[in-house]
Amino acid sequence: MTGRATEPGGPPPTEPPAAPRRGGFPAPLTILLGVLLLVWLAAFLIPSGAYLTDATGSPIPGTFRATPAPLDVGERIGELFLAPINGLYGAIDPATGRVSPFGTGPLFGSAPVFLYVLAIGGFMTVVFATGALDRGIHHLAWAFRARGPALLAVLCLLFGALGSLMFWSDESLGLYALMIPLMVALGYDRMTTVAVVTVAPFVGRLGSTINPFVIGIGSDKAGITLADGLGLRAAIFAAVMLALILYVLRYARRVRADPAASLSGIGPEDRALAEADAAPPPPLTRRDGAILAMVAGTFGLMTFSIVPWGAILGAAKVDPYTHETIASPFAWELGWWLPELTALFCAMAVAVGAVGRLGQAETARAFLRGVSDFVGPAFLVAVARGVSVVMTNTQTIDTVLHAMEGLTAGASSSVFALAIFFVSAPMIPLAGGGSAGTALVMPILAPLGDFAGVDRSLVLTAWSTAGGWLGLVLPTNAVLMAGLALAKVGFDQYLRFMAPLMAILLAICLAALAVGAEL
């Protein structure tokens, strides 16, 4: 590969780019701002309320009470305009529970994700500036030119397993700059890249097995063990991953046979990449090999550093104060998260620039170009988080949760399991389907299963599958929207791709939950 079509020295486009469409499907930012406005308006109609909480801060079932509206109209208007700012760096006051950019307390905003995305953009642009990754992708595409389906299946399974085991989501954004050229070189399109990099982890999350951020926290809040319900979740994982792989292979085969069948389109830049990889690749130099090893090592270290090995492998200790058995990290665990990963990508950008002999000036220019290119997707993350800020500051999340509590009461076991799946839907965009939302919802929903004769592990499984399924198309899913922006795939194009798959996945999940309720 001689270089990307958008870089100096790369092959020129074979035709001028198409004029932008006017009046088409809204841009991702427009969609998110629209959702934010709708949620803000809905908060005027939803009464404020709150549950009493226990010593751990978890809501206590049956203790919901209405509360006076915490904000007047003027303050609500201010909250609307401040929502994206709060979504970036707002802090939540432990005493009042209000999120404010001027408050003190734990960070509620998504600033760590924002900076992480920018660091990835800078790192990958420096890597591409050396030319080593272009040539390495050319070699990989040439090696798999007749085995593309096998590579797609392996990558889908790998990313799906990461989603099932450790809620792989934000981390996947760094792979777009690597995977788009590879998929295009193999004759596929950008939609195929989205399916592998973003869809696969969320489909894997449908069958979360020992995911510590959802299953781990949810098990603790429900008063069950991590192993409870593991068999059913593993069966769901196997079924949904098989469905995804077959679906992606069918689509990719159609696109490779007829590029006009691509839902995301094949642009001049993509055609230039494909043409550049049509000939055998030139040999890799020692410098190329060193840079490729650094890139692989960076992503490998990223994955290793964030995995909670102690929780996954069963290491435990007894808390001396509560006498409860809790997960214990191994001594060799790094326990990194987004701040450390941001620093890792920044440091490795400098190291790659040095090995690639770009010089300090060109390394800095390349890094800043990457940061600039990734600002848009990063900003989408902050706007998406602003939706949760509005519901938190208007104290309406607990009201929605209380409504869920009422809707599921008195149902039979199989109906209850399916009801949990559907009534979870309003909570997922408001509180999130990850650790925070699970910690909020599970203390309320899990005890309801006792009255319906349903094991609490099934309640957790229903919540987890609902989060994974809805997250596949939810505009407030920041990782999804940022991924589509990075891949330059329209949300309307993505929805057309996902519609049949969503129906298939829904049927699998509902059937599994209904069977699990009767076992």
Side-chain angles (χ1 to χ4, degrees):
M1 183 181 290
T2 58
R4 293 183 295 169
T6 55
E7 293 178 350
T14 55
E15 60 184 60
R21 293 180 300 169
R22 295 184 179 181
F25 196 82
L29 179 59
T30 305
I31 295 171
L32 281 176
L33 291 175
V35 171
L36 176 62
L37 179 60
L38 289 175
V39 170
W40 180 77
L41 292 172
F44 280 94
L45 305 176
I46 302 173
S48 300
Y51 282 93
L52 296 178
T53 57
D54 58 22
T56 65
S58 300
I60 301 173
T63 64
F64 177 83
R65 66 195 188 283
T67 60
L71 305 174
D72 58 30
V73 175
E75 290 173 324
R76 285 175 182 259
I77 294 174
E79 285 295 329
L80 175 63
F81 288 101
L82 281 176
I85 307 303
N86 274 319
L88 179 60
Y89 61 83
I92 185 166
D93 189 319
T96 64
R98 184 170 178 176
V99 181
S100 168
F102 310 107
T104 58
L107 180 67
F108 190 88
S110 56
V113 182
F114 183 88
L115 295 175
Y116 169 73
V117 172
L118 298 186
I120 288 172
F123 169 74
M124 292 304 300
T125 303
V126 170
V127 172
F128 274 113
T130 67
L133 190 55
D134 291 302
R135 291 185 285 272
I137 291 173
H138 191 175
H139 275 265
L140 188 60
W142 185 258
F144 281 92
R145 63 190 183 279
R147 293 176 290 165
L151 180 62
L152 286 179
V154 169
L155 290 175
C156 284
L157 186 59
L158 171 62
F159 293 138
L162 289 171
S164 174
L165 295 173
M166 52 174 290
F167 202 63
W168 178 268
S169 56
D170 302 334
E171 305 84 359
S172 66
L173 296 176
L175 298 175
Y176 270 100
L178 174 66
M179 296 296 295
I180 289 173
L182 175 60
M183 291 296 131
V184 172
L186 289 171
Y188 305 131
D189 64 353
R190 291 169 181 259
M191 188 70 76
T192 308
T193 309
V194 172
V196 171
V197 178
T198 293
V199 175
F202 277 96
V203 170
R205 186 258 166 102
L206 280 168
S208 289
T209 47
I210 53 177
N211 180 331
F213 303 105
V214 175
I215 302 303
I217 290 176
S219 297
D220 177 68
K221 296 296 183 181
I224 58 178
T225 70
L226 201 66
D228 291 332
L230 180 59
L232 177 61
R233 295 194 297 271
I236 294 174
F237 172 77
V240 296
M241 287 309 302
L242 177 61
L244 171 70
I245 291 172
L246 293 177
Y247 187 84
V248 172
L249 290 180
R250 179 176 177 271
Y251 173 80
R253 181 174 62 251
R254 190 167 70 243
V255 169
R256 191 170 188 178
D258 179 15
S262 169
L263 292 176
S264 58
I266 308 293
E269 180 182 354
D270 299 333
R271 283 190 286 272
L273 286 171
E275 291 170 3
D277 287 324
L284 294 175
T285 65
R286 293 179 61 182
R287 186 181 302 161
D288 290 338
I291 292 173
L292 293 175
M294 293 172 72
V295 173
T298 300
F299 282 100
L301 178 59
M302 177 192 75
T303 304
F304 172 82
S305 67
I306 63 176
V307 174
W309 297 103
I312 292 176
L313 300 180
K317 67 179 180 180
V318 177
D319 189 297
Y321 301 101
T322 64
H323 303 290
E324 295 180 351
T325 301
I326 57 176
S328 174
F330 291 111
W332 41 266
E333 282 189 47
L334 294 177
W336 289 2
W337 195 228
L338 297 179
E340 292 88 349
L341 297 183
T342 300
L344 170 66
F345 281 110
C346 290
M348 291 307 298
V350 175
V352 167
V355 173
R357 297 183 181 177
L358 295 179
Q360 58 85 22
E362 178 54 31
T363 300
R365 282 194 292 267
F367 186 86
L368 292 177
R369 282 201 306 272
V371 168
S372 175
D373 290 342
F374 278 56
V375 164
F379 185 69
L380 295 178
V381 175
V383 177
R385 187 59 169 164
V387 175
S388 294
V389 172
V390 169
M391 299 300 291
T392 299
N393 285 353
T394 55
Q395 294 183 5
T396 48
I397 289 182
D398 280 11
T399 305
V400 178
L401 181 57
H402 177 61
M404 293 171 58
E405 185 179 2
L407 287 172
T408 56
S412 64
S413 56
S414 57
V415 172
F416 176 84
L418 300 182
I420 290 293
F421 183 95
F422 286 110
V423 302
S424 297
M427 288 302 302
I428 291 166
L430 302 179
S435 56
T438 302
L440 174 67
V441 170
M442 206 45 52
I444 301 297
L445 295 187
L448 297 180
D450 301 339
F451 298 102
V454 171
D455 192 270
R456 292 188 176 196
S457 66
L458 187 66
V459 178
L460 176 57
T461 300
W463 163 261
S464 176
T465 54
W469 183 77
L470 191 59
L472 284 165
V473 294
L474 199 62
T476 54
N477 181 345
V479 175
L480 169 62
M481 300 306 284
L484 294 178
L486 291 171
K488 298 180 182 178
V489 171
F491 190 56
D492 55 333
Q493 298 168 335
Y494 174 76
L495 291 179
R496 288 200 297 273
F497 171 78
M498 288 298 299
L501 180 60
M502 291 294 290
I504 295 169
L505 296 176
L506 179 63
I508 292 173
C509 292
L510 294 182
L513 292 174
V515 171
E518 299 299 330
L519 294 179

